[in-house]
Amino acid sequence: MSNDEDTLNEGGSSAAVKQRFKDRTKKVAQTREILSKQAVQTKEILSKQAIKIAKQAEEHERFINKVTYLVGVLGFGAFCFLLGSRPQDIPYIYCLFYVIFVPLRWIYYRSKKWHYYLLDFCYYANTIFLVMLLLYPRNEKLFMVCFSFAEGPLAWALIVWRCSLVFSSLDKIVSVLIHLLPGIVFFIIRWWDPAALEAMRPEWNAGHRASWPYVESKSYLWTWLFVVPLVAYTLWQFLYVLFVNVLRRNRLLRDPEVMTSYRELSKKAQKANNIWWRLSGLLGDQNRMFMYIVLQALFTVATMALTVPIFLSYELHVIFQIFKVSATIWNGGSFLLEVMPRQVILKEKKKLEMQPIQTKPDHFAETDHHS
């Protein structure tokens, strides 16, 4: 009997162990199932929340773009009205624009690590324009140097670097105006504002002022429209290379996200494999920076030389103004019709990738049934 009882006890305990094991396995499975459900629900909630935030950000961006477009169009219309009704006030409007928007741009660019752009030649030249207009408006020679900067490298940069007049983008509007407004200002002083020229040469009589500056020799024009501006450009180029490529070299090497004009242009040129990329590589990859400086210097020399005939001919100067404005509008149209649709497609792809993960209740129901 004792053996039979022992056998029964062992069988009972074995069955109990198996039952406990089954119960624990079932509990573990149920726990896993619950955790799996919770994980899927959490992912779905987070995904929905991310989509909601992205949608709100997109709506906010669209609203800002609409406001910017409205203000941009109204501002451009007001500028055109003032250009026709009170051209003598345009230089002061330009000064107001510069002292407001350039500091704001520095703050914005600093947050984006783009602040080295403000060391480019266009800002150097615009600072000289500001000094001339506010402090030395009667200095004829400084005026001619500024004219060369404005209608030389700055004006042609609108065409070469494809600046786009896009009213929905404040950054693009400011970029266009920094290069376009100075030329308009010095066009007005040169041809539409006799009082400015009278102030420069008060000792002249009306006949002399009407012929200004033809009474001077051609060497005088080439000196102050080409040679002296080129020396001023060379000074800027030396200081730029010294500061960016020597003093701040380690800073730029440590952080590839910090952008400079050379980094941006070389990146775009390499991606497009255009003529600029091929020209900059004539002396090898290790000398691309040097070739970039040489190409920029050649561009500056050529565009400054063109300012002499522009300075001497009213008709040619008018055509050049129309050409500059037309180029920025054309580039703006290309951006709206070609670039923006691609950006919309990329945004739609990202939206699809962020779609919430759908739960599968049928699967859980089958699991519950089988368990």
Side-chain angles (χ1 to χ4, degrees):
M1 289 291 293
S2 62
N3 290 334
D4 293 338
E5 289 176 0
D6 291 340
T7 302
L8 290 171
N9 290 336
E10 288 176 3
S13 61
S14 177
V17 169
K18 288 181 179 179
Q19 184 61 39
R20 285 197 298 271
F21 180 76
K22 286 181 180 180
D23 293 341
R24 288 181 181 177
T25 302
K26 186 176 181 180
K27 287 181 179 178
V28 169
Q30 290 175 345
T31 303
R32 286 179 178 174
E33 192 177 305
I34 292 170
L35 291 174
S36 178
K37 286 181 179 180
Q38 291 177 344
V40 172
Q41 290 172 353
T42 302
K43 287 181 180 179
E44 186 177 353
I45 292 170
L46 291 175
S47 182
K48 287 181 178 179
Q49 192 67 23
I51 290 175
K52 183 179 178 182
I53 294 172
K55 187 177 180 181
Q56 290 175 346
E58 188 177 348
E59 290 175 353
H60 179 72
E61 182 182 0
R62 281 202 300 266
F63 176 75
I64 293 297
N65 287 340
K66 289 177 182 178
V67 172
T68 306
Y69 184 86
L70 173 65
V71 174
V73 172
L74 292 176
F76 187 75
F79 176 80
C80 292
F81 173 77
L82 289 173
L83 186 62
S85 62
R86 297 189 61 82
Q88 68 274 15
D89 293 337
I90 296 298
Y92 303 107
I93 292 173
Y94 159 75
C95 293
L96 184 64
F97 157 79
Y98 189 78
V99 297
I100 291 176
F101 283 97
V102 170
L104 291 177
R105 170 166 272 205
W106 186 89
I107 295 170
Y108 174 66
Y109 276 18
R110 187 71 179 83
S111 66
K112 294 281 188 178
K113 296 184 179 182
W114 298 347
H115 49 290
Y116 282 89
Y117 287 146
L118 272 75
L119 298 176
D120 288 351
F121 179 75
C122 56
Y123 296 95
Y124 169 80
N126 272 275
T127 302
I128 295 175
F129 301 158
L130 198 70
V131 171
M132 180 261 163
L133 292 171
L134 296 179
L135 301 180
Y136 304 102
R138 298 183 180 183
N139 191 311
E140 180 185 73
K141 294 176 181 177
L142 183 57
F143 164 76
M144 296 176 74
V145 171
C146 291
F147 184 97
S148 178
F149 285 166
E151 295 295 56
L154 265 69
W156 286 99
L158 288 166
I159 292 91
V160 174
W161 308 132
R162 295 181 59 82
C163 293
S164 306
L165 187 59
V166 180
F167 289 116
S168 59
S169 172
L170 181 61
D171 187 55
K172 290 186 179 298
I173 292 174
V174 173
S175 294
V176 167
L177 293 180
I178 282 174
H179 294 85
L180 182 64
L181 273 182
I184 294 175
V185 167
F186 293 111
F187 171 85
I188 291 169
I189 295 175
R190 174 72 180 95
W191 303 106
W192 287 359
D193 191 7
L197 302 183
E198 290 176 8
M200 291 181 186
R201 292 292 183 97
E203 72 278 7
W204 283 0
N205 57 38
H208 281 92
R209 284 195 294 274
S211 64
W212 183 88
Y214 289 102
V215 293
E216 303 288 356
S217 65
K218 292 294 173 62
S219 63
Y220 175 83
L221 293 179
W222 278 97
T223 297
W224 291 102
L225 286 174
F226 182 74
V227 177
V228 175
L230 200 57
V231 171
Y233 167 82
T234 305
L235 174 62
W236 164 81
Q237 185 68 83
F238 172 77
L239 294 174
Y240 183 89
V241 171
L242 177 64
F243 183 78
V244 176
N245 298 340
V246 178
L247 299 179
R248 306 296 291 175
R249 183 173 181 272
N250 292 332
R251 169 74 176 92
L252 294 173
L253 291 175
R254 285 197 308 269
D255 192 349
E257 292 184 358
V258 175
M259 293 303 296
T260 64
S261 294
Y262 170 74
R263 280 186 172 181
E264 181 189 9
L265 293 173
S266 60
K267 184 179 178 181
K268 289 182 178 179
Q270 182 180 15
K271 185 177 179 180
N273 193 26
N274 57 25
I275 187 173
W276 302 111
W277 180 252
R278 293 192 291 272
L279 287 174
S280 66
L282 289 177
L283 300 180
D285 288 340
Q286 69 277 12
N287 293 314
R288 285 190 183 275
M289 173 66 77
F290 172 75
M291 282 301 299
Y292 171 74
I293 293 172
V294 171
L295 291 172
Q296 190 177 34
L298 292 174
F299 167 79
T300 304
V301 169
T303 55
M304 283 183 176
L306 290 173
T307 61
V308 177
I310 291 174
F311 186 83
L312 294 175
S313 170
Y314 175 76
E315 291 78 11
L316 186 60
H317 205 176
V318 170
I319 293 171
F320 190 52
Q321 298 303 311
I322 296 172
F323 174 66
K324 289 188 297 180
V325 175
S326 300
T328 60
I329 295 173
W330 179 272
N331 293 336
S334 299
F335 180 83
L336 292 173
L337 298 175
E338 297 174 9
V339 178
M340 287 192 71
R342 292 198 296 266
Q343 293 178 346
V344 171
I345 292 172
L346 289 175
K347 284 184 179 181
E348 291 299 323
K349 286 183 178 179
K350 289 182 179 180
K351 283 183 184 178
L352 292 176
E353 292 173 358
M354 293 174 61
Q355 287 297 322
I357 300 170
Q358 299 295 329
T359 58
K360 299 180 180 179
D362 294 340
H363 170 72
F364 292 126
E366 291 175 4
T367 305
D368 293 341
H369 175 71
H370 290 301
S371 63

